[in-house]
Amino acid sequence: MKSIETQGKTVDQAIEIGLYKLGVKREDVKIDIIEQAGLFNKARVRLSLGTSSPDEGKLKELIEKLISLMGLDVDVYVEEREKEFFVNVIGTDSAIFIGKHGDSIEEFQILVNYIFNKDKARDEAKRIIIDSNNYAQRRTETLTNLAKRTAGKVVRDNKEFKFEAMNSYERRIIHSALADHGKVITESYGNEPNRYVVVKLRNNISRQRNEGEIKDYFEDDSIRVEKELNELDDNDNN
């Protein structure tokens, strides 16, 4: 399968350059977005001549249909990998698609995974990862860094830390980031939508789970955490 990589100021420009070089139309190629355009870098895409797999085409059709019902102005790019599908949704309404703190994109991913895999055998099902403007990657990096810094303070000051309320996607990132930490553990408390994560020392795990007994240590850090997450959302809205 012939393929080329091109770059441009935007994803659409990089695609148009690739189409010109190949001398083909957009519907004749498979498009993979390698990198979004940023402040210091150009957008990079890979255009491949050939036929996509039936599942890849069906998934793209499903997602485009759901998005059309939402009335959003975005384009859908699907890349089939060995054990998963990666979907990138890009366009004017990307910020709406992502939602506050990624709530909308998380719910959309859950819905698409359910619909697409519900009639498949376990060994045939593939996980579908949905991102938009590298939001999920950047949010994961932000939360992972915050989790590690928080763990260091918990160990240093011998005091547990309570994060602000987070959605299930954000909580999973915190739990995963500290799962192999030798000195702290993470536990979730409360009910949706006010469920939150507490980081505490492994050798000082309280069996009393009354929410009132969880102290709000590092209040300034709690504010900073929320500020960094909000700034990430604000960047996607601009």
Side-chain angles (χ1 to χ4, degrees):
M1 179 185 294
K2 182 179 180 181
S3 66
I4 63 171
E5 291 185 10
T6 57
Q7 61 182 16
K9 292 181 179 179
T10 65
V11 168
D12 282 338
Q13 185 185 75
I15 292 172
E16 291 303 320
I17 292 172
L19 294 176
Y20 176 78
K21 289 183 176 181
L22 290 172
V24 297
K25 296 180 180 179
R26 198 179 186 110
E27 57 267 25
D28 297 327
V29 298
K30 177 178 179 292
I31 302 171
D32 297 325
I33 300 173
I34 301 172
E35 186 175 9
Q36 299 282 349
L39 185 61
F40 302 108
N41 61 279
K42 292 184 177 181
R44 290 196 304 130
V45 301
R46 181 187 302 110
L47 276 63
S48 304
L49 287 170
T51 305
S52 301
S53 73
D55 273 354
E56 187 174 314
K58 289 178 182 177
L59 177 58
K60 189 174 189 296
E61 182 180 355
L62 167 64
I63 293 174
E64 288 179 335
K65 182 176 181 179
L66 291 173
I67 287 178
S68 70
L69 294 173
M70 298 165 67
L72 300 181
D73 180 15
V74 292
D75 294 317
V76 177
Y77 302 93
V78 179
E79 178 185 351
E80 185 172 12
R81 299 172 178 175
E82 183 178 354
K83 296 182 179 180
E84 64 192 18
F85 288 99
F86 179 77
V87 180
N88 211 343
V89 177
I90 300 172
T92 305
D93 294 330
S94 290
I96 300 173
F97 179 74
I98 292 169
K100 183 175 176 59
H101 288 190
D103 286 342
S104 297
I105 196 171
E106 181 194 11
E107 292 171 0
F108 189 85
Q109 178 173 289
I110 292 171
L111 175 64
V112 169
N113 271 276
Y114 172 74
I115 294 175
F116 191 75
N117 289 315
K118 68 176 181 178
D119 296 324
K120 291 182 171 62
R122 177 171 294 184
D123 59 344
E124 296 177 343
K126 278 189 174 183
R127 183 187 178 201
I128 302 165
I129 300 173
I130 299 178
D131 200 357
S132 181
N133 292 335
N134 292 335
Y135 176 86
Q137 177 182 341
R138 289 182 289 118
R139 195 162 192 77
T140 297
E141 290 172 355
T142 298
L143 286 168
T144 298
N145 290 334
L146 289 172
K148 291 179 178 179
R149 291 205 303 268
T150 299
K153 289 192 175 185
V154 169
V155 173
R156 183 192 68 197
D157 297 341
N158 193 27
K159 293 179 180 178
E160 59 195 31
F161 176 85
K162 171 188 171 183
F163 280 98
E164 296 295 324
M166 294 179 172
N167 61 38
S168 59
Y169 169 73
E170 294 171 327
R171 296 196 304 272
R172 282 197 298 271
I173 294 173
I174 299 295
H175 290 311
S176 177
L178 300 180
D180 297 326
H181 198 287
K183 296 183 178 180
V184 303
I185 64 165
T186 57
E187 293 185 340
S188 292
Y189 294 84
N191 300 312
E192 299 289 2
N194 298 313
R195 196 160 172 78
Y196 57 90
V197 176
V198 174
V199 182
K200 57 178 68 174
L201 291 173
R202 282 186 178 275
N203 62 355
N204 189 30
I205 303 173
S206 172
R207 297 302 177 185
Q208 296 179 326
R209 300 184 182 266
N210 281 329
E211 186 172 334
E213 296 183 4
I214 304 287
K215 295 182 180 179
D216 290 323
Y217 294 112
F218 314 128
E219 182 178 357
D220 291 341
D221 279 347
S222 295
I223 296 172
R224 176 179 51 76
V225 168
E226 186 68 14
K227 181 181 178 181
E228 288 192 33
L229 297 180
N230 286 331
E231 285 177 349
L232 185 56
D233 284 335
D234 291 340
N235 288 337
D236 284 292
N237 286 322
N238 294 329

